Amino acid sequence: TILKLQFLYLIALSHPTHTHTPHPTMSRLAIPCAKLTLRGTGSQMPQLGLGTWLSEEGKVYEATKHALKVGYRHIDCAWVYFNEAEVGKGLAESVEEGVVTREEVWLTGKLWNNFHRPELVKKGLQESLDSLGVKYLDLFLMHFPVAFKPDVVEATSPDQVENVPLADTWKAMEALVDEGLVKNIGISNCEIPQVKEILASATKPVAVNQFETQPYYSRKELVEFCQAQGIVVTAHTSLGSPGNCMSAHHASKPLMQDELVGEIAKKHNKTPAHVLLRWAIQRPTIILPKSVTPSRIESNAELFDFELSADEVVQIDALCKPGLEGCFNHPKTPWLGRSEFTGNTASYCNN
C-alpha cells in the first residue's frame, strides 16, 4: 500500500548571505532563528526547519501545530513522505487560529522520481499543493537526480528506472516559477557532476541543494562547491537518523553516541544533538531536525544561544569517515549506484 511504501522510501547574490533575526518582541515568533538569502529572488530561508520524513502517521499534524506554536517558520515536506495532508491540516488550523499567516511559513516540497518527465512535473507539484492545501511553495526541489517510470514509487529493478535528462526536468520546473506556483527551485541529493549539468542549462538560479551532510559524512567538497556557486546547502540527516528505515545497513555507530561530540556537549551544557545541529548552523547550512515529540521539537531549536569554538569545529570536522562508511541515508540504494538491484528492498532497506 501507499502507506507501507513510506517505510520503503530510502529515503540575489553570488554567495549566500547569513543574517540573524533579532530576539523577538512578539509572542508569535519564539525562536530567534537565523536565515540564509537565496540567490536570484533574495528570499530569506530560515536555517531551522521541521523535518517530516518518516514522521509517524497521525502524529505529523500535532507536530506541525506545535512547531509553529513555539516559533518554527519552516517545514520541509515531500510527496513521497505521504504525510503532506497532515502537515497541511496543521498549517491551516494554525493560520485560522492566528498563530501564523501563510506568508510567514516557509514550505519546501520535492518532486518525486516518477514525475521527472517534463509533462508530469506540474502534476507532481500540484498533488503536493492539493495535499498541503496551499497555492504555492516557497521552494520546490528535484528530490533525486534519478527518474522512475511514472507508475513506480520505489524502483527495485533496472527496468523501472528511465533516462530523462536532468535539463528537461529542470526546464519544466522553471516554468512553475513563471506560473507563480513556486517561488524558488532547487535540487536535492545531487553530486557535483549533476549540479554542473543542471547549471549548464539553467535559466533560473539553482537556489538550494539538499543532501546528507553530517560529521561522519561531511561532504566538504560538495558543500564548498555549492556555496561557491551561490547555492545554499540544506543538510538532511544531521543527527545520523539512527532509527531510519536503512539502519540495518549503517556501517557506523549512531552519530549521537560519538565520544567527542558528547564531550563538547558537556562543555557547553548542551546535548549531542545540539552540538551536531550547531556545527551545521555554523557552516552555514539549513537544518531539518525531525521529531513528533513536543519537548524534542522545542529542544532542537535551542541552538542560537551558544557557539562552537574554531577548535571544536576543527575537531568535529575530523570525524569524517571515508567513502560511504559514515553515510546513514541511502548507503546501499541500487538506483543511486550503491549496490546491485535484487528485485526487492531487502538489500538496502530494513524488512
Side-chain angles (χ1 to χ4, degrees):
T1 66
I2 276 292
L3 289 176
K4 185 178 179 182
L5 284 168
Q6 66 179 307
F7 299 104
L8 299 179
Y9 163 59
L10 306 184
I11 48 109
L13 300 169
S14 61
H15 291 78
T17 300
H18 191 205
T19 62
H20 287 272
T21 301
H23 282 267
T25 57
M26 297 174 60
S27 61
R28 292 183 66 193
L29 183 57
I31 299 171
C33 181
K35 297 182 179 182
L36 299 184
T37 302
L38 301 191
R39 187 167 60 95
T41 62
S43 297
Q44 296 283 298
M45 185 173 180
Q47 259 192 293
L48 172 66
L50 178 70
T52 61
W53 178 50
L54 292 183
S55 291
E56 298 90 327
E57 181 186 0
K59 296 183 179 180
V60 188
Y61 155 72
E62 291 290 353
T64 299
K65 289 200 71 174
H66 188 75
L68 294 174
K69 181 180 178 180
V70 301
Y72 281 69
R73 293 297 180 264
H74 173 187
I75 304 175
D76 184 77
C77 310
W79 181 93
V80 81
Y81 298 170
F82 303 114
N83 57 19
E84 288 181 317
E86 283 194 50
V87 172
K89 180 183 177 185
L91 173 60
E93 289 186 9
S94 297
V95 170
E96 185 178 348
E97 293 164 5
V99 176
V100 293
T101 65
R102 166 64 187 95
E103 293 72 25
E104 289 173 329
V105 179
W106 184 282
L107 282 181
T108 295
K110 305 182 192 77
L111 181 78
W112 188 235
N113 303 349
N114 55 356
F115 294 108
H116 271 230
R117 294 181 185 180
E119 66 272 20
L120 296 179
V121 168
K122 185 175 180 179
K123 179 177 185 291
L125 168 65
Q126 193 61 55
E127 290 191 10
S128 286
L129 292 176
D130 292 344
S131 293
L132 290 163
V134 298
K135 295 181 179 179
Y136 71 91
L137 292 180
D138 297 274
L139 176 65
F140 192 49
L141 307 176
M142 187 189 304
H143 205 150
F144 282 93
V146 178
F148 295 165
K149 289 184 176 177
D151 60 343
V152 174
V153 174
E154 176 67 21
T156 57
S157 61
D159 62 302
Q160 294 178 321
V161 179
E162 63 180 14
N163 181 27
V164 178
L166 295 177
D168 292 354
T169 303
W170 181 260
K171 184 177 180 181
M173 290 175 64
E174 290 186 332
L176 303 176
V177 179
D178 294 333
E179 290 186 56
L181 297 174
V182 298
K183 292 190 173 182
N184 301 274
I185 51 176
I187 53 182
S188 182
N189 302 300
C190 284
E191 303 293 336
I192 291 176
Q194 296 153 342
V195 179
K196 288 181 176 179
E197 182 180 345
I198 293 170
L199 287 174
S201 64
T203 61
K204 296 189 187 305
V206 178
V208 168
N209 188 10
Q210 180 181 136
F211 53 89
E212 178 178 3
T213 168
Q214 35 81 4
Y216 283 2
Y217 191 56
S218 66
R219 313 310 313 277
K220 184 175 185 289
E221 184 181 3
L222 179 56
V223 170
E224 291 180 350
F225 174 81
C226 288
Q227 292 178 337
Q229 300 298 317
I231 300 171
V232 166
V233 172
T234 295
H236 68 63
T237 321
S238 295
L239 301 179
S241 196
N244 74 16
C245 59
M246 295 155 280
S247 58
H249 303 280
H250 293 172
S252 296
K253 67 182 179 183
L255 180 58
M256 285 194 287
Q257 293 178 13
D258 186 87
E259 291 81 1
L260 172 67
V261 173
E263 290 171 8
I264 294 174
K266 286 180 182 177
K267 200 183 304 183
H268 289 276
N269 197 27
K270 290 287 186 177
T271 67
H274 290 140
V275 170
L276 294 169
L277 294 173
R278 183 67 209 184
W279 175 81
I281 286 284
Q282 287 182 212
R283 300 182 80 183
T285 59
I286 306 286
I287 56 169
L288 308 168
K290 166 256 173 182
S291 182
V292 294
T293 305
S295 61
R296 198 167 296 135
I297 290 171
E298 294 175 31
S299 178
N300 286 339
E302 295 170 355
L303 308 172
F304 302 98
D305 58 352
F306 80 108
E307 288 190 10
L308 300 175
S309 69
D311 285 345
E312 288 169 336
V313 170
V314 169
Q315 287 179 292
I316 295 172
D317 287 347
L319 295 175
C320 189
K321 298 177 181 292
L324 293 169
E325 186 180 330
C327 176
F328 294 111
N329 200 301
H330 298 278
K332 293 185 179 296
T333 303
W335 43 265
L336 289 175
R338 296 175 177 178
S339 69
E340 298 297 322
F341 282 101
T342 61
N344 58 58
T345 62
S347 63
Y348 60 98
C349 182
N350 302 350
N351 281 347

